[in-house]
Amino acid sequence: QGERYVFVSHAPDSDSWWNVIKNAIKVASDEMNVEVEYRNPPTGDLADMARIIQQASASNPDGIISTIADYDVLSGPLSDAVAKGIPVITVNSGTEEQSKKIGALLHVGQPEYDAGFGAGEKAKAAGVTSFVCVNHYITNPASVERCQGYADAIGVKLGGQMIDSGLDPSEVKSKVMAYLNAHPDTNGILTLGPNSAHPTIAALDEMGKSGTIHFATFDLSSQISEAIKSGVIAFAIDQQPFLQGYLPVVILTNLTRYGVVPGNSINSGPGFITKSNIALVEELAGQYR
Amino acid sequence: MTAPLIELVDIAKHFGPVIALNGVTLSVEAGECHCLLGDNGAGKSTFIKTMSGVHKPNRGEIRVDGEVVSFSSPRDAMAAGIATVYQDLAMIPLMSVTRNFWMGREPERKFGPFKLFDFATANRITMEEMAKMGIHLRSPDQAVGTLSGGERQTVAIARAVHFGAKVLILDEPTSALGVRQTANVLATIDRVRKAGIGLIFITHNVRHALAVGDRFTVLNRGKTLGTARRGEIDAEALQDMMAGGRELAELAGSLGGTV
Amino acid sequence: MTAPLIELVDIAKHFGPVIALNGVTLSVEAGECHCLLGDNGAGKSTFIKTMSGVHKPNRGEIRVDGEVVSFSSPRDAMAAGIATVYQDLAMIPLMSVTRNFWMGREPERKFGPFKLFDFATANRITMEEMAKMGIHLRSPDQAVGTLSGGERQTVAIARAVHFGAKVLILDEPTSALGVRQTANVLATIDRVRKAGIGLIFITHNVRHALAVGDRFTVLNRGKTLGTARRGEIDAEALQDMMAGGRELAELAGSLGGTV
Amino acid sequence: MSTADGRSVEQLRDEARDERVREMSRFRKALIRPELGAICGTILVFVFFLSIAGDSGMFAPEGILNWGTVSAQFAIIAVGACLLMIAGEFDLSVGSMIGFSGIVIALLTVQVGLPAWAAILIAFALAMAIGAFNGYLVIRTGLPSFIVTLAFLYILRGLTIFISITTTRKTIIGGVREAAESDPIAWLFGGKAFHGLFVWLSQHGIVGTFVAGPKAGQPVIEGIPMLMVWALVLIVLGHLLLTRTKFGNWIFAAGGDAQAARYVGVPVNRVKISMFMLTAFCATVFATCQVMEFGSAAADRGLLKEFEAIISVVIGGALLTGGYGSVVGAALGALIFGVVQQGLFFAGVESSLFRVFLGVILLLAVILNTYIRRMITGER
Amino acid sequence: MSTADGRSVEQLRDEARDERVREMSRFRKALIRPELGAICGTILVFVFFLSIAGDSGMFAPEGILNWGTVSAQFAIIAVGACLLMIAGEFDLSVGSMIGFSGIVIALLTVQVGLPAWAAILIAFALAMAIGAFNGYLVIRTGLPSFIVTLAFLYILRGLTIFISITTTRKTIIGGVREAAESDPIAWLFGGKAFHGLFVWLSQHGIVGTFVAGPKAGQPVIEGIPMLMVWALVLIVLGHLLLTRTKFGNWIFAAGGDAQAARYVGVPVNRVKISMFMLTAFCATVFATCQVMEFGSAAADRGLLKEFEAIISVVIGGALLTGGYGSVVGAALGALIFGVVQQGLFFAGVESSLFRVFLGVILLLAVILNTYIRRMITGER
Ligand SMILES: Nc1ncnc2c1ncn2[C@@H]1O[C@H](COP(=O)(O)OP(=O)(O)OP(=O)(O)O)[C@@H](O)[C@H]1O
Ligand SMILES: Nc1ncnc2c1ncn2[C@@H]1O[C@H](COP(=O)(O)OP(=O)(O)OP(=O)(O)O)[C@@H](O)[C@H]1O
Ligand SMILES: [Mg+2]
Ligand SMILES: [Mg+2]
């Protein structure tokens, strides 16, 4: 009862996608009756994130849940925590192998490159030949990998198509519009989350191109599900963040209380959400989905 | 006898531990140039700041036309007809002559529901007033920074006169000027006095004071040492009053010259 | 006759369109106080800046002890024994007296492989030199900002003298001072002169110049108007030379006073 | 006033002129104005992009609208920053204020359920109160505004994140658009103006129409975003305020020499505090437009916007230390900023080079501006 | 020199003292030093966290190491910023410089394949050259350093992203640790000192040991990170340089009044340029330590660090306009910064409140410092 866990993410303060995880954590901690602290580096600086992990392990929690946004930066502090005897579960970014090398119990997440590749394959089938990848978080390796996977699946070399859009929605929107104006032959768009998807939807709307360009995005939100229903977005890749927030807390609690833990990593995604299966998730999008 | 334009009685002003003024009395009549002399740090600037509403005195009273007043801001003092040209910051060099001239009292004209700065009038009057003072401007848009020090002082004086000052206070207008420019400023003072305005002319320089002054008051370490009329006192005596004269006499003796 | 300590011949200096100096000649002998007088903007400051290595003249030559030299920085001039106390920026108010005194020529002592600022020596000498000049410091760590204007000038002079200046240039050391403080500075000048140092004393004020000067040179609009020895010239004549005298005479006439 | 000694006045006047200084030619004088640097910069930037991206759609109506909107955004905050800078202060908390106002509006409409107009009014009131407090602190403590507003950069950003996290456990709050539908005021910020005009233009073939997609047949430009209208209104009003009114003269005076201004009766404190409030007002206009356009507010909106505002203003010829500058210049600075940022996309240049460009332009513009200013003001 | 008129000297001396001003008491004088504000702040902050987070592990060895490391980070850049600020300039490009140096090292080792020591040396040389160029521009153009370094904030950040994206298509470059293994210099930045001491301490139970994993049995603290050693060395050297050497006097002089200093022969330009170089040096130390510790460099490292450096320095009592300040004060400022930032985590306070705290501390510290400074320098 009342165990204390620390959840460390790499997301800067604004990333709305993490709201689902925060909600999941809240649900899990209420159900399990434990205390979970959510920590993140305010500006998304991964070096700051490493300090937060060190700090977390110094405060001797009953467990640490962390993303592996950059293996190089985070492996040290995380394996130190493991070595101190603190159980660690990794989530979201990162791969199973990395998680194992660190000595974490398991990894709950989605392989980023593969997810991007899957999206690319579907896009290729829909006839996409030249695309733009709207990267709102260019300093996170995972986001570059998504673009890379998508490009590889389509079979083009990733170059100027990945735009560094920044986080400011007005800027994202006007940059997307500028790109599409200057590259009218673009027939595929990949956005990496709500932060880049929402302004892109607005940009397409304003340019009258809604529905004329194959548009795929990562992650869900109410606006994205709306766009899927109206056919603006072809599909969203759902990594089911709720599981990434909920499962680790439950697993750690079970470990602390009863000493039981699953033996394998868990792939929470990717799941593809299209017009046909949107009804299922629509209600809860952005909250628990 | 009519009441003086302004009268200050037994003014005292303290800044924390520093007693800047400790009982200063002075009055100015219309058309007179009252010179306020004093050593460095004697409290001259502090005294006139009290008179023009910048500082509130800790003790003493100010009478304008015989009535006791209390100024809570420079605006109040200006409204009562007291205009001051301060030692260093008479003008803002980055701004044009017109903007400086009208600063704080801009003329306005209606433009629909709005009131606009009336530049046409402002420029015309500025040029006229400057010409009266003997300053020829290239244009009223010229920045004050491009004028010489003497010209700046003159603009400041012209401004004060134009706004109907009854009492005009000049804080060391000549201290940064050369002989030629000083002569210009002294001539301006004389002209202003002849128009019936009362002047307080602050200076270190006994010669400048004697050239235009009607009465002379000497401050020393925050106290009035006395007031004399023109002709009652000569340069040597004034110099003596300002510094106690002893060191100067000694110095002059030991150096074999006159100070 | 030995060569003068420093001699400047036919110096000219232009700043873009402004001709600040246009043929100025002057020399200083040991133990003499040479006064440089001139109206505002006459070029006095520009002239001494040329002498002390701040500006390079466009024309003319500088001779030190009879040899032609060319200064490329104030350091060069200082090395040649020419020390200057500038008009406003003699001292840095935020720094302590010792730090100001030694600025640019800090005494050092070895500390292993390092050289450290030798505060013990510096403080001692500072206190001594200040005492000689008649300034009593609370402590050598006292910030210069807490000193009065006259005290600051004196610290600057003491510094120049201590560093073995052969020629000491003072740019209007008295312009911001009251009578008492001026007397103090003039006494200091006299003391320095008696120690055999050549002085150039710049001022607007004819009386101050006459009190201590041995020779007088008047600048007007970038040109020398001539040099006179003590006794050869009186205050009126100097005043006349500085400004052409005409306006002043007229002004004095029209105002009925003496300027 | 008659001159007692008529003769000597003429004489003195002649002598007041210094024969040693050359007079400036009339042509040069007409050219030399505070905005000159920004005007040259604008011309240069346009020539540059016309030549390298002239056929990329950058100068088609849609393209113009694109960089126009971006420039308008910068212009809105630049106007406030410009007037404040001329009044002798500056504000590093603009960016944080943008985030703060946005979150306040979103929280009040979506969480509290207030009507949008009430939320907007409250946000404006709050922001301007904070601006006034900033100004009050600067004036009362006499500290440089750099430090005071730096403190508020942190305080406001922290508060914004704190209130949004503690009340909603989110840092992005969406759903504002729905809540603001058919609101009497919200339209002023998120709407588009002159829709009819563009329909007419498209019917006459001046503006293209969509040929495919859901909007086929409609003009490619729906209207001028209100953001641009706001920018224009603020620029014009700001310019008039500064150059044509009494208050404008006080702004110059307060920044040029606060003490001198105070002594002639200019209410310097009031001027400075109102300029801090104006800056907060502009930041809130920016935030409200953004919230209404995108329907969501995020706690980290406006990051680094304070620098972008200052850069626009400085490119526009204002003096960092106050007392000199021009609103039109600042607006041109914002235009340069927007055109360069978007132009690089149109030109297909690697977008990260934008910052390099910007830095270089800033340096060049400031050097040119300094030269011009010295000629005008006789400053050395 | 003998006084010719001995009598009047004594006399004048007496009169030079002003009977109207009270003397300051000896005790107050001893207390009043530039660092006083920072010292008070440090005590307050420690008391605060001891009371609210005393039992959270914050003051256990690991906890101390944690906030100690963070403070050391701030201190490294604060030392450079402090000396530069005392010399009368400041540098907004510190943060961008951190990102730039890190990427240079990573690119050179991982992509180009240079040995780590060569990459580090090149990064230092490059950074210091840029610092010198910054300084040169400030001095040549006479522009405020705010503007020049703001331009470089953008230019450097842009360049950093540009070169890392164009060469590797990534903005994070990893694998530096492997490349730097057994390098003769890299250890100086990424290593840990006093390993032996901590093994000994753990054997005596003073420091805990790892209980599981590959490091089982080793002490939880491997050693003092070199980062801390660098911070200490820089603080001590900086303090000595400033207060005990000739060059230190020149730094004060250059910042106090550059013109006055120039006239007495202080090579002001050289002093200012070397301080810009020192700031770049400190930024590169910071970057190198980070790269070597984490094994990767990212283009966005160091974002907003310039403000953090300036805040530490200002909390430490330095005057924004130069000529006054203390390295020890700046170091204490960095300590306050680090303790507050990490302490709030330990105390379990909502972390977004950190910024609010910081802003408030900054304001209070500066007000206190201003008061103290006025007493020392007689400034008004
Ligand atoms: N705001 C203030 N706070 C504290 N002390 C002050 C203040 N203003 C003036 N003083 C002190 O009051 C005394 C008188 O100063 P004041 O400026 O009035 O002298 P002054 O006669 O005008 O000298 P000067 O000839 O240099 O202009 C001085 O000792 C000065 O330091
Ligand atoms: N750096 C400069 N650039 C351009 N003009 C200059 C410069 N320095 C001085 N001048 C000009 O040269 C002329 C002589 O100036 P200077 O300062 O030498 O006069 P001064 O005799 O010292 O006057 P004051 O009595 O005011 O000290 C003036 O017209 C001045 O404006
Ligand atoms: Mg005074
Ligand atoms: Mg001079």
Side-chain angles (χ1 to χ4, degrees), chain B residues 162-203:
Chain B
H162 176 77
F163 289 122
K166 289 187 295 182
V167 180
L168 177 59
I169 304 170
L170 303 173
D171 192 2
E172 308 204 18
T174 55
S175 71
L177 303 185
V179 175
R180 188 192 303 261
Q181 293 191 315
T182 299
N184 200 337
V185 170
L186 294 183
T188 306
I189 290 178
D190 185 48
R191 222 177 291 138
V192 171
R193 172 177 56 184
K194 290 200 175 117
I197 293 171
L199 277 139
I200 297 182
F201 173 32
I202 296 174
T203 181

Side-chain angles (χ1 to χ4, degrees), chain B residues 70-113:
Chain B
S70 160
F71 301 138
S72 59
S73 81
R75 286 187 92 92
D76 287 359
M78 271 185 285
I82 298 165
T84 311
V85 176
Y86 291 93
Q87 197 156 0
D88 291 319
L89 15 88
M91 293 277 127
I92 299 181
L94 291 170
M95 286 164 66
S96 74
V97 175
T98 301
R99 284 184 176 275
N100 262 293
F101 192 94
W102 296 94
M103 186 164 67
R105 304 183 171 228
E106 295 78 3
E108 296 190 313
R109 73 187 154 85
K110 287 251 167 183
F111 182 79

Side-chain angles (χ1 to χ4, degrees), chain A residues 43-274:
Chain A
T43 53
D45 187 331
L46 296 180
D48 284 349
M49 181 180 175
R51 298 274 173 253
I52 293 173
I53 293 171
Q54 286 171 347
Q55 181 273 320
S57 74
S59 69
N60 288 312
D62 296 300
I64 291 177
I65 307 157
S66 170
T67 71
I68 319 177
D70 180 12
Y71 178 75
D72 286 312
V73 174
L74 303 174
S75 60
L78 282 176
S79 44
D80 280 357
V82 171
K84 253 190 88 179
I86 300 170
V88 171
I89 291 182
T90 59
V91 296
N92 191 256
S93 314
T95 63
E96 266 186 69
E97 300 89 76
Q98 290 173 344
S99 177
K100 280 212 187 84
K101 267 197 256 168
I102 285 169
L105 298 171
L106 63 139
H107 183 77
V108 184
Q110 139 181 291
E112 304 291 357
Y113 179 84
D114 297 346
F117 196 84
E121 280 176 326
K122 289 193 159 213
K124 192 178 183 190
V128 171
T129 50
S130 109
F131 72 101
V132 56
C133 177
V134 187
N135 192 340
H136 64 270
Y137 190 14
I138 202 156
T139 49
N140 181 358
S143 32
V144 183
E145 269 175 36
R146 289 173 175 178
C147 295
Q148 189 71 54
Y150 187 91
D152 288 354
I154 288 177
V156 296
K157 203 171 161 297
L158 184 65
Q161 310 97 323
M162 180 174 75
I163 56 174
D164 171 9
S165 67
L167 277 164
D168 185 85
S170 322
E171 262 173 48
V172 178
K173 179 182 160 194
S174 49
K175 282 179 180 167
V176 169
M177 289 171 71
Y179 186 92
L180 292 178
N181 258 322
H183 303 85
D185 54 335
T186 305
N187 56 8
I189 296 178
L190 178 69
T191 58
L192 303 186
N195 270 337
S196 41
H198 295 173
T200 305
I201 295 170
L204 289 178
D205 179 51
E206 187 153 334
M207 298 179 74
K209 289 193 169 169
S210 299
T212 63
I213 297 182
H214 184 270
F215 182 175
T217 185
F218 277 82
D219 305 335
L220 269 181
S221 71
S222 49
Q223 250 169 298
I224 291 177
S225 67
E226 203 59 41
I228 292 176
K229 270 206 302 186
S230 64
V232 175
I233 293 181
F235 61 84
I237 301 145
D238 185 16
Q239 55 173 306
Q240 308 188 65
F242 187 83
L243 294 178
Q244 298 177 5
Y246 184 82
L247 286 180
V249 176
V250 175
I251 292 168
L252 281 178
T253 314
N254 284 323
L255 176 67
T256 329
R257 291 188 189 159
Y258 316 116
V260 295
V261 67
N264 255 325
S265 288
I266 300 167
N267 273 356
S268 65
F272 291 92
I273 295 176
T274 60

Side-chain angles (χ1 to χ4, degrees), chain E residues 49-359:
Chain E
F49 281 106
L50 270 171
S51 64
I52 73 160
D55 50 357
S56 66
M58 180 170 173
F59 296 95
E62 276 173 277
I64 294 176
L65 196 67
N66 183 259
W67 51 255
T69 313
V70 174
S71 301
Q73 270 194 344
F74 290 127
I76 287 176
I77 44 175
V79 169
C82 175
L83 291 175
L84 181 63
M85 198 182 282
I86 295 175
E89 306 291 336
F90 63 75
D91 191 346
L92 292 177
S93 66
V94 170
S96 300
M97 185 68 89
I98 290 173
F100 179 78
S101 301
I103 286 286
V104 167
I105 293 176
L107 269 182
L108 290 181
T109 47
V110 179
Q111 296 295 117
V112 181
L114 286 187
W117 60 265
I120 292 175
L121 288 186
I122 292 175
F124 271 100
L126 253 177
M128 288 168 76
I130 293 172
F133 183 63
N134 257 333
Y136 174 79
L137 272 183
V138 167
I139 282 160
R140 265 316 295 273
T141 60
L143 292 175
S145 47
F146 181 89
I147 295 194
V148 171
T149 57
L150 181 60
F152 272 87
L153 180 154
Y154 280 88
I155 293 176
L156 281 181
R157 184 68 71 193
L159 270 184
T160 308
I161 298 179
F162 179 73
I163 57 175
S164 70
I165 285 270
T166 46
T167 55
T168 66
R169 305 240 47 90
K170 287 193 245 173
T171 55
I172 294 201
I173 304 175
V176 183
R177 203 169 4 208
E178 295 69 42
E181 222 141 62
S182 77
D183 185 271
I185 284 190
W187 177 87
L188 270 180
F189 297 90
K192 311 245 168 171
F194 307 114
H195 180 63
L197 174 68
F198 284 93
V199 172
W200 184 86
L201 281 176
S202 71
Q203 281 156 2
H204 291 72
I206 300 169
V207 168
T209 52
F210 286 119
V211 292
K215 290 187 184 173
Q218 287 181 28
V220 286
I221 300 174
E222 211 186 311
I224 303 278
M226 285 305 291
L227 193 72
M228 276 180 151
V229 177
W230 271 101
L232 282 179
V233 168
L234 282 172
I235 293 168
V236 170
L237 287 186
H239 178 73
L240 289 180
L241 178 74
L242 186 65
T243 58
R244 303 252 156 249
T245 70
K246 177 183 199 153
F247 197 79
N249 206 34
W250 293 355
I251 296 175
F252 277 119
D257 188 334
Q259 201 60 352
R262 221 166 252 141
Y263 285 162
V264 296
V266 173
V268 171
N269 294 356
R270 186 144 63 81
V271 170
K272 291 200 170 184
I273 290 179
S274 21
M275 287 304 104
F276 273 105
M277 290 171 73
L278 177 70
T279 316
F281 176 85
C282 290
T284 309
V285 168
F286 182 103
T288 314
C289 286
Q290 209 173 52
V291 169
M292 291 303 153
E293 182 179 354
F294 297 125
S296 78
D300 70 339
R301 294 271 160 82
L303 207 65
L304 291 182
K305 282 277 178 284
E306 51 278 348
F307 280 153
E308 297 172 359
I310 291 175
I311 291 178
S312 302
V313 174
V314 169
I315 290 181
L319 181 59
L320 201 65
T321 47
Y324 184 86
S326 134
V327 172
V328 173
L332 289 176
L335 183 62
I336 293 178
F337 207 128
V339 169
V340 172
Q341 175 170 323
Q342 298 304 108
L344 290 177
F345 281 120
F346 279 103
V349 177
E350 176 61 44
S351 61
S352 50
L353 278 183
F354 159 60
R355 293 185 228 207
V356 179
F357 251 78
L358 186 67

